[in-house]
Amino acid sequence: SQQGEEDPQALSIQEGENATMNCSYKTSINNLQWYRQNSGRGLVHLILIRSNEREKHSGRLRVTLDTSKKSSSLLITASRAADTASYFCATNKRGNNRLAFGKGNQVVVIP
Amino acid sequence: NAGVTQTPKFQVLKTGQSMTLQCAQDMNHEYMSWYRQDPGMGLRLIHYSVGAGITDQGEVPNGYNVSRSTTEDFPLRLLSAAPSQTSVYFCASTTSNQPQHFGDGTRLSIL
């Protein structure tokens, strides 16, 4: 069943602004992953955060995980036009490699 | 390394026709999976495999068959195509609860 649910689903921002996306899930997880999808392409992994971690950074990306609230957020700082894409969260339950994806956030960065 | 390679990139079928979507990976990953992506639905898991000779159903398996005779290849078969199977299909591979590597997808239209 679908676990990740991102909010908001569409976001339009000016270049240089920050973009924040949220993801909620329903059951216990082993890790939560964020992916980016450019138009017409496959998904590319951004960050994996494990259930015992609270925050992780990668370049201009910051991911938080709150297991008590079953939620995660992805922050893109100082956005660029090249950040225009769809962003998906996906949850991985304990003991397997299966991922359950959310419906995705479409982010448009206006130059 | 080529990563995950999917063929064909585009395909148009008539209702009732059969075809096989090919997926190959060169990373020696034991876990491979097939997803379909429909507008507003995110990615849904069709079938997956935890190793050669082992396959299992995902969230939306009806109308699709898979086999895994080698570690590298994981073909997806549509036995009798239906318009409801019009979608974009992604193959992915991973190992040991690491992030998944995705192919660029097959865009399938069924008339």
Side-chain angles (χ1 to χ4, degrees):
Chain A
S1 62
Q2 204 80 3
Q3 282 220 40
E5 296 181 3
E6 292 94 341
D7 173 52
Q9 295 196 351
L11 186 62
S12 183
I13 57 175
Q14 295 288 331
E15 201 166 32
E17 293 181 337
N18 296 341
T20 300
M21 287 153 274
N22 297 308
C23 170
S24 61
Y25 57 93
K26 295 182 174 66
T27 63
S28 296
I29 61 171
N30 182 44
N31 63 66
L32 186 144
Q33 304 175 26
W34 285 91
Y35 289 82
R36 183 187 73 230
Q37 183 181 35
N38 292 99
S39 180
R41 302 300 302 274
L43 278 71
V44 174
H45 174 256
L46 296 176
I47 290 183
L48 181 153
I49 186 165
R50 303 188 190 283
S51 60
N52 62 352
E53 297 175 313
R54 292 298 166 257
E55 187 171 312
K56 217 165 180 182
H57 296 257
S58 177
R60 293 182 295 108
L61 305 179
R62 172 178 170 258
V63 167
T64 63
L65 179 65
D66 187 334
T67 52
S68 66
K69 295 181 179 178
K70 293 187 170 55
S71 67
S72 174
S73 68
L74 169 67
L75 168 67
I76 305 173
T77 60
S79 63
R80 305 168 180 169
D83 295 328
T84 294
S86 293
Y87 293 84
F88 294 87
C89 73
T91 53
N92 172 241
K93 291 184 179 180
R94 295 184 187 282
N96 62 60
N97 285 294
R98 289 181 61 163
L99 291 181
F101 281 86
K103 294 180 173 57
N105 276 281
Q106 187 171 2
V107 175
V108 175
V109 181
I110 303 166
Chain B
N1 285 350
V4 177
T5 303
Q6 290 185 237
T7 56
K9 296 190 184 304
F10 302 94
Q11 184 71 49
V12 178
L13 291 178
K14 295 181 179 178
T15 298
Q17 287 185 316
S18 62
M19 80 160 296
T20 299
L21 279 63
Q22 302 291 345
C23 175
Q25 53 94 6
D26 60 0
M27 297 169 283
N28 201 33
H29 287 167
E30 73 275 15
Y31 184 89
M32 296 185 74
S33 52
W34 276 102
Y35 298 88
R36 61 177 289 173
Q37 184 177 31
D38 302 295
M41 297 293 292
L43 275 75
R44 293 183 290 171
L45 182 65
I46 304 171
H47 285 286
Y48 66 98
S49 169
V50 299
I54 306 170
T55 64
D56 206 347
Q57 296 181 350
E59 185 184 351
V60 287
N62 291 343
Y64 308 95
N65 282 350
V66 292
S67 60
R68 185 92 180 272
S69 57
T70 66
T71 300
E72 295 77 21
D73 300 300
F74 190 43
L76 178 72
R77 296 183 184 86
L78 283 71
L79 298 179
S80 179
S84 61
Q85 293 177 305
T86 293
S87 188
V88 182
Y89 292 84
F90 289 99
C91 179
S93 73
T94 188
T95 182
S96 304
N97 288 313
Q98 295 301 305
Q100 297 201 5
H101 296 255
F102 283 82
D104 279 338
T106 294
R107 284 143 188 83
L108 181 63
S109 292
I110 299 165
L111 307 177

